Amino acid sequence: MTVSSVQLQLLNANDVLANLRALRTRQPVKFSAFYSSQLGGVVTDPALMVLPFDDHMVHRGHGIFDTAGIVNGRIYDLEAHLDRFLGSAERSKLKLFGSREQMRDIIIRTTAASGLRDGAIRYWLSSGPGSLELSPAAGAEPGFFVMIFGGLSYPARWYTEGLRVMTTTYPIKPPLYAITKATNYLPNVLMQMEAKEAGLDNGVFIDEAGFVGESSNMNVAFVTQDGVLRHPRFERVLPGCTSLRLLDLARSLVGRGVSGVEVCDIPVADARAAREMLLLGSSVKVAPIVEWDGKPIGDGKPGPIAKALLDLMEEDMRSGDRLIEVPY
Ligand SMILES: Cc1ncc(COP(=O)(O)O)c(C=O)c1O
């Protein structure tokens, strides 16, 4: 379309709805249900899953989010995700929408309304609409949004063959922003795009001191040559709920291929000499990284500890003590 052919129509509400529906036809999405405190309820038509443009989360990135999984009709590890959500809210100076219990209840009931039994729940808190200023508008009402969708999916070869990653050229976030799950993912987005443009699967941040950070929306961990499961300290990386849970569950592998579990600074050179490198996160769970910056990790094949940790995670998601029944 040339610039001169753009028609600026004055739209009425029906036109807007029709155009929003047309947008979803051109680019279909599989979102099952959306709760919005601003709409005052749940919608299932993706055309209606909208926010006012002046919401501070939209035009200044002043919002936070988190994601939990739905497995066999149950929500996995929601309390850990809510703990992190509240921490992110506090550090972002965001007012909560109601209490933790009320937000948890909305999350569970929106999941029930979606009917989805396997997928993901992503929820956001924003400082609300009311101006285009840098600080939130006076009297802005916090916005709370919950999206129920199929979740992110990754190629099967990530698990069977392993991933290939590169050290990103983008700088790592400073600690405050790294540990806060805010809607400011520019470094993460650019890192993943850069890796894809290079024909690779993802990137890895390294900090100024030469210690390993994390990947785009996942943590990384290592198994040393003598079998220690090693994870970076949670200072320059998001405290991943998957990582924290696995560091605990992995104790059951000590003596069965794992000789210890450590959370410490990991110099890049030590990391490159690891036997296994792992990608950890709610969506990916546990996937082996077999190549980093063109060089193999270990023997360049998925290793046994990645598989053992994936099994532990899947077992915990199926039948552990961190599941909430959804009242469909
Ligand atoms: C930057 C970043 N690091 C790590 C993770 C992994 O966290 P989790 O295991 O809670 O999914 C995520 C995903 O939320 C992330 O966005």
Side-chain angles (χ1 to χ4, degrees):
M1 187 187 287
T2 61
V3 173
S4 59
S5 72
V6 173
Q7 302 238 328
L8 287 189
Q9 285 179 32
L10 217 45
L11 306 170
N12 62 31
N14 289 338
D15 297 331
V16 170
L17 190 55
N19 287 348
L20 286 171
R21 291 223 162 94
L23 180 67
R24 297 313 197 172
T25 308
R26 289 198 300 280
Q27 190 153 42
V29 287
K30 286 196 182 143
F31 301 153
S32 304
F34 176 68
Y35 166 85
S36 159
S37 61
Q38 293 166 347
L39 299 177
V42 175
V43 290
T44 55
D45 177 350
L48 304 178
M49 299 176 179
V50 293
L51 254 66
F53 185 79
D54 58 322
D55 193 295
H56 216 217
M57 182 165 76
V58 176
H59 69 98
R60 298 292 187 183
H62 191 199
I64 56 143
F65 71 107
D66 219 297
T67 312
I70 312 167
V71 187
N72 291 330
R74 293 185 285 191
I75 304 175
Y76 177 64
D77 215 9
L78 182 59
E79 297 308 330
H81 287 276
L82 280 175
D83 286 344
R84 189 170 66 187
F85 191 67
L86 295 190
S88 295
E90 193 178 348
R91 285 189 293 276
S92 304
K93 299 186 192 281
L94 287 170
K95 282 195 217 104
L96 295 186
F97 175 78
S99 64
R100 176 189 179 118
E101 287 66 36
Q102 284 166 327
M103 288 189 287
R104 182 201 297 116
D105 184 52
I106 291 170
I107 289 169
I108 295 171
R109 288 199 292 144
T110 307
T111 309
S114 77
L116 202 67
R117 303 189 74 86
D118 284 283
I121 310 167
R122 193 168 295 167
Y123 42 99
W124 293 259
L125 184 68
S126 93
S127 56
S131 83
L132 293 174
E133 305 280 336
L134 201 54
S135 295
E141 293 177 18
F144 183 57
F145 314 97
V146 181
M147 180 70 89
I148 313 297
F149 66 114
L152 307 182
S153 58
Y154 302 104
R157 71 166 173 81
W158 280 23
Y159 303 91
T160 53
E161 294 167 26
L163 290 96
R164 294 157 64 223
V165 300
M166 63 178 279
T167 302
T168 183
T169 60
Y170 293 99
I172 192 169
K173 292 176 185 174
L176 173 67
Y177 305 127
I179 64 167
T180 301
K181 207 164 161 59
T183 53
N184 294 288
Y185 262 45
L186 185 60
N188 313 60
V189 169
L190 292 174
M191 169 162 74
Q192 196 173 78
M193 290 178 74
E194 176 183 47
K196 284 185 177 170
E197 282 158 14
L200 299 167
D201 297 310
N202 218 330
V204 179
F205 284 122
I206 305 292
D207 75 16
E208 303 80 5
F211 298 127
V212 180
E214 62 186 332
S215 187
S216 60
N217 54 338
M218 301 151 193
N219 291 103
V220 294
F222 301 87
V223 181
T224 64
Q225 289 296 340
D226 49 6
V228 179
L229 175 64
R230 221 175 238 175
H231 193 291
R233 290 196 303 126
F234 296 100
E235 191 179 286
R236 296 303 293 271
V237 305
L238 191 78
C241 297
T242 314
S243 287
L244 292 169
R245 185 65 180 146
L246 276 173
L247 287 168
D248 200 18
L249 294 173
R251 281 184 288 164
S252 70
L253 297 179
V254 173
R256 294 195 295 130
V258 170
S259 61
V261 178
E262 273 178 23
V263 175
C264 57
D265 285 330
I266 305 177
V268 180
D270 293 4
R272 290 194 195 281
R275 203 161 71 191
E276 291 185 45
M277 180 170 181
L278 316 165
L279 199 57
L280 310 172
S282 300
S283 55
V284 72
K285 299 186 191 86
V286 184
I289 295 172
V290 295
E291 186 191 296
W292 182 9
D293 290 338
K295 299 198 185 68
I297 297 289
D299 62 4
K301 298 201 181 80
I305 304 304
K307 180 67 175 73
L309 289 171
L310 179 61
D311 289 348
L312 280 177
M313 193 74 218
E314 288 185 330
E315 176 64 24
D316 201 46
M317 293 176 124
R318 254 193 322 267
S319 56
D321 57 5
R322 297 190 170 199
L323 294 163
I324 295 176
E325 291 289 343
V326 178
Y328 291 100

